[in-house]
Amino acid sequence: MPRQVIVNADDFGLSPNENATIFAAFQAGVISSATAMANMPAFEAACAMARHASLQGRVGLHFNLTYGRPLSASILRSRTFCDGHGVFDLSLPRHSLWLSREDRDAVREELQAQWQRCVEHGVRPSHIDSHQHVHNIWPIGEIVARFAAQQGVPIRLARNLGQNLSLPKRVFKGLLNWRLQSLAGATADYVCTPVDLRNAPAPSDGVLEIVAHPNQLDSDFGDAYLNPGESLNRVLEQRLTGVPRVSYADLNKDFLRGAAALD
């Protein structure tokens, strides 16, 4: 069994419904972490919820380059990222290894703007991941990892558990994750979806992050990755019995304690 598990709900701030579901899942102890979308309509309400005792220090930034309108100016001029109406419309292939200097600068500016909006609304992100996994695109991942290191927070690795990962994908993700960790430092060791967890053995060590998109099932919670009506909590309980659910903030504290012990 893994030593700890982070159950992270993406898309906090996307809509009032997402906010209500994520808040309720926190209250029920199903999830232990969330990441907020700083450019979405329900973001301010999500930040108000994030100040609740059960969420404090457990909300990160869900960096977004694919949906809605950006918060910064430079990226509006880039047809790699935005259409002519000023809306995100990512045209960068997932296998890209290079970005122009102008595009790199624009991504950094947008990342800073989304981070800063969190801070201005009373939420200093506990970690960084991204909407539709855009930081799994190599040059974007490097920018996000360097920024995370500057802020002293972890970054989510690329999904590295699951039965549908082909050998080329495993090789690429292994290299990408090595690069992200070399730039940003300590983070969860493994990343998977609830379906991956249900269908394959859990790792036998380390820290596991479950990437969740919870939905309400009467008094229970499902997940967008699971079958309709299937309980997210049941999958977690069956596959990770007794494993503590923690946040990235807890992970950071453990890392700092370990580093201090080595000094």
Side-chain angles (χ1 to χ4, degrees):
M1 287 287 185
R3 184 174 71 255
Q4 296 170 316
V5 60
I6 299 165
V7 185
N8 189 90
D10 292 0
D11 300 345
F12 201 27
L14 178 63
S15 70
N17 182 64
E18 294 287 342
N19 285 357
T21 301
I22 289 171
F23 186 78
F26 261 117
Q27 296 293 89
V30 176
I31 64 172
S32 58
S33 176
T35 38
M37 302 177 76
N39 69 325
M40 287 290 104
F43 170 74
E44 292 185 13
C47 289
M49 292 177 178
R51 291 191 282 274
H52 189 275
S54 62
L55 279 71
Q56 278 189 349
R58 293 174 173 266
V59 176
L61 172 63
H62 198 51
F63 182 43
N64 180 15
L65 292 174
T66 62
Y67 189 55
R69 294 182 179 275
L71 299 181
S72 59
S74 297
I75 206 164
L76 289 169
R77 298 189 292 272
S78 172
R79 290 299 164 263
T80 304
F81 294 101
C82 291
D83 64 18
H85 302 288
V87 175
F88 279 129
D89 184 22
L90 183 67
S91 61
L92 187 68
R94 305 292 298 193
H95 59 267
S96 297
L97 298 176
W98 181 85
L99 270 179
S100 70
R101 176 179 293 180
E102 292 78 8
D103 280 344
R104 292 198 307 271
D105 289 345
V107 170
R108 276 191 288 267
E109 182 181 306
E110 181 63 20
L111 177 55
Q112 177 65 55
Q114 292 186 23
W115 175 277
Q116 188 59 35
R117 189 161 192 237
C118 291
V119 172
E120 289 171 355
H121 284 80
V123 177
R124 189 181 194 279
S126 59
H127 66 291
I128 304 175
D129 57 35
S130 64
H131 194 53
Q132 298 180 340
H133 314 294
V134 293
H135 77 288
N136 290 181
I137 301 172
W138 191 283
I140 295 176
E142 289 195 329
I143 292 167
V144 176
R146 291 180 192 278
F147 184 85
Q150 291 168 1
Q151 302 301 331
V153 299
I155 183 174
R156 173 189 285 167
L157 296 183
R159 172 174 165 260
N160 54 7
L161 294 177
Q163 295 178 328
N164 65 339
L165 290 175
S166 64
L167 181 59
K169 281 187 177 181
R170 288 185 184 277
V171 171
F172 175 78
K173 287 173 181 281
L175 290 171
L176 175 64
N177 285 344
W178 171 83
R179 183 60 172 155
L180 295 178
Q181 284 185 293
S182 70
L183 291 171
T187 187
D189 303 287
Y190 306 100
V191 178
C192 73
T193 69
V195 169
D196 298 325
L197 180 66
R198 182 193 65 195
N199 293 343
S204 59
D205 60 0
V207 179
L208 169 66
E209 181 188 355
I210 309 294
V211 180
H213 293 81
N215 49 52
Q216 195 82 48
L217 297 177
D218 296 324
S219 60
D220 198 359
F221 297 89
D223 190 89
Y225 288 110
L226 296 173
N227 296 324
E230 188 175 4
S231 169
L232 171 61
N233 199 43
R234 188 172 299 117
V235 171
L236 294 170
E237 291 293 342
Q238 288 175 347
R239 306 298 288 173
L240 297 171
T241 304
V243 178
R245 296 180 198 179
V246 300
S247 69
Y248 271 99
D250 298 320
L251 192 66
N252 243 355
K253 290 173 189 173
D254 288 347
F255 173 75
L256 291 172
R257 278 196 293 267
L262 293 174
D263 287 343

